[in-house]
Amino acid sequence: MSFRTKFLSTTTLAIAISAFATFSFAQDTKNDAIPGDKAGKVKRDGRGFGRMGRHGGGDKMKGRHGGMHGLRGIDLTDAQKEQIRVIRENNKPDAAVLAEVKALRESRKAGTPITDAQKTRIKAIRDARRAKGDNVRAQMEAVLTADQRATIEKRKTEMKLKRDEFHQKRKEFRKNRPAKPAVVTDTTKIG
């Protein structure tokens, strides 16, 4: 085999390998893109870029919206779980009220000013929701034993202390952080 043949074979092989690597890399990047995303952004850490953002969204948010977030770690009996499920089932929000609130929110987003009657209605709905939430909490507390209630109160106290400590640290940080440097806007040369 001549030198020329060996050189052409090696060059052809190198080009084929680089082309294969390029196409396979492009294919992998394309598979990671978010469906329906025209910009072709790539997911990071398996999480998408959505309304929930870095918090993951979906089922992870369930604890805030009707899950048993406040009762996590409390050993409930099957009877207690069933009673709590019934309490929640009986106190679901009214679909008509939810639709009304959604319509008001959409009209407000569209730029339509809210009337005084609508403001009064929103306040009434908010007050009713707050009262209903207090009622549900009281019913659920009645299901729990004294030890379970004490555990929950202990957790609330600990969380309040952590929250206050966090706020204090943030306040100190903001007070002690260096000032931003002044930006020079004059473009004349000093000479």
Side-chain angles (χ1 to χ4, degrees), residues 17-66:
I17 289 173
S18 65
F20 178 77
T22 303
F23 290 127
S24 65
F25 177 76
Q27 185 67 30
D28 289 343
T29 304
K30 186 177 178 182
N31 288 340
D32 289 340
I34 300 169
D37 185 23
K38 294 176 182 156
K41 293 180 182 175
V42 178
K43 285 185 180 183
R44 296 183 197 145
D45 300 330
R47 292 177 274 157
F49 303 99
R51 201 175 108 212
M52 298 296 183
R54 67 177 191 212
H55 302 293
D59 291 339
K60 292 181 182 180
M61 298 298 285
K62 193 173 186 177
R64 291 187 192 166
H65 305 290

Side-chain angles (χ1 to χ4, degrees), residues 90-104:
N90 292 338
N91 290 291
K92 281 187 177 178
D94 185 23
V97 173
L98 290 177
E100 181 182 359
V101 170
K102 184 176 180 180
L104 288 171

Side-chain angles (χ1 to χ4, degrees), residues 50-112:
R51 201 175 108 212
M52 298 296 183
R54 67 177 191 212
H55 302 293
D59 291 339
K60 292 181 182 180
M61 298 298 285
K62 193 173 186 177
R64 291 187 192 166
H65 305 290
M68 296 176 76
H69 180 70
L71 300 176
R72 191 179 316 149
I74 304 291
D75 292 327
L76 298 172
T77 64
D78 291 336
Q80 286 176 321
K81 289 178 185 177
E82 180 61 24
Q83 287 175 326
I84 290 172
R85 187 193 66 74
V86 168
I87 290 169
R88 288 208 170 119
E89 191 70 30
N90 292 338
N91 290 291
K92 281 187 177 178
D94 185 23
V97 173
L98 290 177
E100 181 182 359
V101 170
K102 184 176 180 180
L104 288 171
R105 187 181 309 126
E106 293 299 322
S107 68
R108 184 172 172 217
K109 281 183 182 179
T112 308

Side-chain angles (χ1 to χ4, degrees), residues 153-182:
E153 287 303 317
K154 180 181 171 190
R155 276 195 198 156
K156 283 182 184 178
T157 305
E158 290 172 356
M159 289 305 294
K160 185 178 181 337
L161 289 173
K162 284 182 181 180
R163 193 169 41 251
D164 291 344
E165 181 181 327
F166 171 78
H167 288 298
Q168 185 63 32
K169 284 181 180 179
R170 185 173 62 179
K171 187 184 283 185
E172 289 174 15
F173 172 78
R174 286 181 175 173
K175 186 175 82 174
N176 296 331
R177 71 178 164 194
K180 291 182 180 179

